[in-house]
Amino acid sequence: MALVNEHMLKLPQNYLFSDIAKKVNSFKLVHPNQRIISLGIGDVTQPLPPVCIEAMHKAVEEMAHVETFRGYGPERGYDFLREAIIKNDYAPRGVRLDASEVFVSDGAKSDCGNIGDIIRHDNSIGVTDPIYPVYIDSNVMCGRAGTLEDGRWSNVTYIACNEQNGFIPNPPDTRVDIIYLCYPNNPTGMVLTKEQLKKWVNYALRNDTLLLYDAAYEAYIQDPEIPHSIYEIKGAKKCAIEFRSYSKTAGFTGVRCGYTVVPKELTAGTLLGERIQLNGLWNRRQSTKFNGTSYITQRAAEAIYTPDGQQQVRTTIGYYMQNARMMKQTLEQAGVTVYGGDNAPYIWMKTPDGMDSWRAFDQILYETGVVTTPGVGFGPSGNGYLRLTAFGQREDCEAGIERIANWLK
Ligand code: PLP
């Protein structure tokens, strides 16, 4: 008899976005004529930058001829892309990387989930709370999260982000083996300054903690003082892996490309006290279980780094960030407390009168026809908040936020 991985059965049956979809479908049945506006989507809506389309057409043409056809690519990704990454994303920020430290992938979600393959099953885990659910669920699947007790996993340290700390968490008082950080943050839209990030790096160096730093939204940072990479902090190469994605940077959610940086200086221990380079382990893991991102996609990603590409990406991000500014301003004028939205496409809105997240979600849906995302779906500390996204079309964002502002009044 084949036996299942029983850790998978521990995952809660309710999945945030399918619960939302069910509620929206029930609402549609009762209100077939109401125009529903979603401010809950985490997907982009604007098309790919024209440079990417051109690069993809050109790459497809290359695939059509025996002289230029490409099969399997190099295991870490093509040199042209890894060199463009180092030259554009890191060198200008004073971060020196070798091409062998960059691994091109099909996106940050898979890498954030798969990284667990190279670390022992019994490491303790820390997450800021609320957080992108993949970090916890991927650990549940291999048994590392422990058991679920009152909505919390026994082997996970939840580092609360709340009104008391302004959604800027400090490192925990206790030692944790592996900590996931996500900045700019999904769902709160908050960022860390260099000083704040330094506290985490110093904590990690002191405690021999591995930091898994998800910078999927770094392109949305507007404030020049905010770090884009954890490696802008001294010592981070000894304690951190960084995940990047072109999904939100350049509309690649359906194209699929990202990359992960595993510095050569980064090591973790064995039970016998030997130190092992994680770069080699990740390379081994990827070359065994992943066969690369398509040549066509990597050419599209490379095009983002051309001057035209940079301009086009900035224009689209500017469009979303203009949505975010408008949404945040409208909510503040309506007298509600909001976080984020300045350096991220997410706005974290406090519900009125301490209402719990799902109740606020239901009321807004039924009274205004606007879909939001309940903050509690991202972790226990998210209760009492809603996440709104700025990825919609301008008219939808304007109409949706206006309806919420009227509801608040
Ligand atoms: N990391 C965070 C924090 C995200 O919010 C998302 C997508 O919503 C991802 C990673 C996924 O990125 P990708 O599309 O590159 O898999």
Side-chain angles (χ1 to χ4, degrees):
M1 179 172 62
L3 299 175
V4 297
N5 171 3
E6 294 194 8
H7 299 306
M8 299 281 299
L9 308 180
K10 296 187 208 158
L11 284 166
Q13 286 310 302
N14 52 330
Y15 174 63
L16 176 62
F17 290 98
S18 58
D19 286 352
I20 292 173
K22 274 186 218 145
K23 281 178 180 275
V24 173
N25 284 336
S26 317
F27 174 79
K28 278 186 189 155
L29 286 177
V30 188
H31 303 88
N33 299 323
Q34 166 81 291
R35 186 168 90 88
I36 296 175
I37 297 176
S38 178
L39 296 181
I41 44 165
D43 198 354
V44 293
T45 53
Q46 299 302 301
L48 290 177
V51 286
C52 298
I53 302 291
E54 279 162 38
M56 285 166 121
H57 278 303
K58 194 163 160 241
V60 168
E61 198 48 42
E62 286 179 55
M63 289 300 214
H65 306 282
V66 73
E67 302 78 24
T68 47
F69 169 79
R70 312 270 184 144
Y72 292 125
E75 57 200 24
R76 288 177 163 92
Y78 283 98
D79 288 350
F80 60 75
L81 179 54
R82 289 182 299 139
E83 278 157 19
I85 288 167
I86 291 172
K87 185 164 161 238
N88 294 279
D89 287 344
Y90 290 100
R93 304 199 159 271
V95 178
R96 280 161 161 261
L97 288 176
D98 185 80
S100 62
E101 297 175 303
V102 178
F103 296 81
V104 175
S105 71
D106 62 355
K109 185 191 250 186
S110 19
D111 284 3
C112 287
N114 293 334
I115 201 75
D117 277 4
I118 66 166
I119 48 188
R120 249 179 84 101
H121 67 280
D122 51 1
N123 280 291
S124 57
I125 298 296
V127 292
T128 57
D129 166 37
I131 200 63
Y132 180 52
V134 169
Y135 311 148
I136 295 186
D137 289 359
S138 58
N139 281 293
V140 173
M141 288 179 186
C142 64
R144 202 181 285 117
T147 50
L148 189 60
E149 291 152 19
D150 294 332
R152 287 164 188 263
W153 294 93
S154 57
N155 198 29
V156 176
T157 299
Y158 292 77
I159 305 154
C161 300
N162 48 36
E163 210 158 22
Q164 285 77 51
N165 56 25
F167 289 92
I168 303 291
N170 274 316
D173 298 330
T174 50
R175 225 207 121 255
V176 180
D177 297 319
I178 294 160
I179 294 182
Y180 291 82
L181 292 176
C182 172
Y183 289 98
N185 189 265
N186 177 14
T188 66
M190 297 299 280
V191 288
L192 295 186
T193 62
K194 271 198 178 145
E195 280 313 304
Q196 288 159 348
L197 190 51
K198 202 184 273 178
K199 286 190 196 170
W200 287 92
V201 170
N202 289 344
Y203 167 91
L205 293 172
R206 245 188 352 261
N207 291 287
D208 203 357
T209 296
L210 172 63
L211 297 178
L212 299 177
Y213 192 76
D214 184 350
Y217 297 94
E218 63 77 33
Y220 287 79
I221 295 172
Q222 310 287 304
D223 180 344
E225 296 301 315
I226 299 296
H228 288 234
S229 165
I230 194 165
Y231 305 122
E232 291 177 55
I233 309 299
K234 199 162 161 242
K237 281 193 194 170
K238 288 193 166 60
C239 62
I241 290 176
E242 179 163 292
F243 304 97
R244 293 275 186 112
S245 167
Y246 296 110
S247 285
K248 309 296 159 68
T249 302
F252 272 43
T253 52
V255 175
R256 309 306 308 145
C257 193
Y259 64 88
T260 289
V261 176
V262 189
K264 290 268 172 76
E265 290 168 49
L266 179 65
T267 62
T270 65
L271 279 186
L272 295 175
E274 196 187 348
R275 300 298 299 194
I276 307 288
Q277 267 192 346
L278 293 186
N279 180 288
L281 290 193
W282 185 240
N283 191 45
R284 187 64 203 261
R285 189 270 168 212
Q286 289 297 79
S287 46
T288 302
K289 292 197 187 178
F290 180 61
N291 242 343
T293 308
S294 79
Y295 172 69
I296 299 164
T297 298
Q298 293 193 54
R299 280 294 186 200
E302 180 198 23
I304 296 168
Y305 295 108
T306 59
D308 283 351
Q310 291 290 285
Q311 185 53 45
Q312 290 166 11
V313 163
R314 266 199 298 274
T315 303
T316 304
I317 289 175
Y319 175 87
Y320 294 134
M321 289 310 289
Q322 174 62 24
N323 286 347
R325 269 191 295 280
M326 176 277 297
M327 291 164 70
K328 187 170 184 179
Q329 213 172 30
T330 309
L331 291 174
E332 280 173 344
Q333 280 163 1
V336 76
T337 306
V338 281
Y339 294 87
D342 298 325
N343 293 289
Y346 294 120
I347 290 169
W348 189 241
M349 175 185 129
K350 191 174 180 191
T351 60
D353 307 322
M355 210 184 271
D356 79 59
S357 293
W358 277 111
R359 196 161 152 240
F361 169 90
D362 285 336
Q363 280 201 13
I364 292 176
L365 177 61
Y366 275 82
E367 292 171 27
T368 75
V370 176
V371 181
T372 58
T373 310
V376 71
F378 300 96
S381 297
N383 203 10
Y385 288 83
L386 295 169
R387 188 194 74 173
L388 306 176
T389 78
F391 286 126
Q393 305 278 0
R394 176 71 40 81
E395 311 77 71
D396 288 343
C397 291
E398 282 171 350
I401 212 69
E402 209 50 55
R403 289 189 198 176
I404 294 182
N406 288 333
W407 174 79
L408 285 164
K409 284 174 200 157

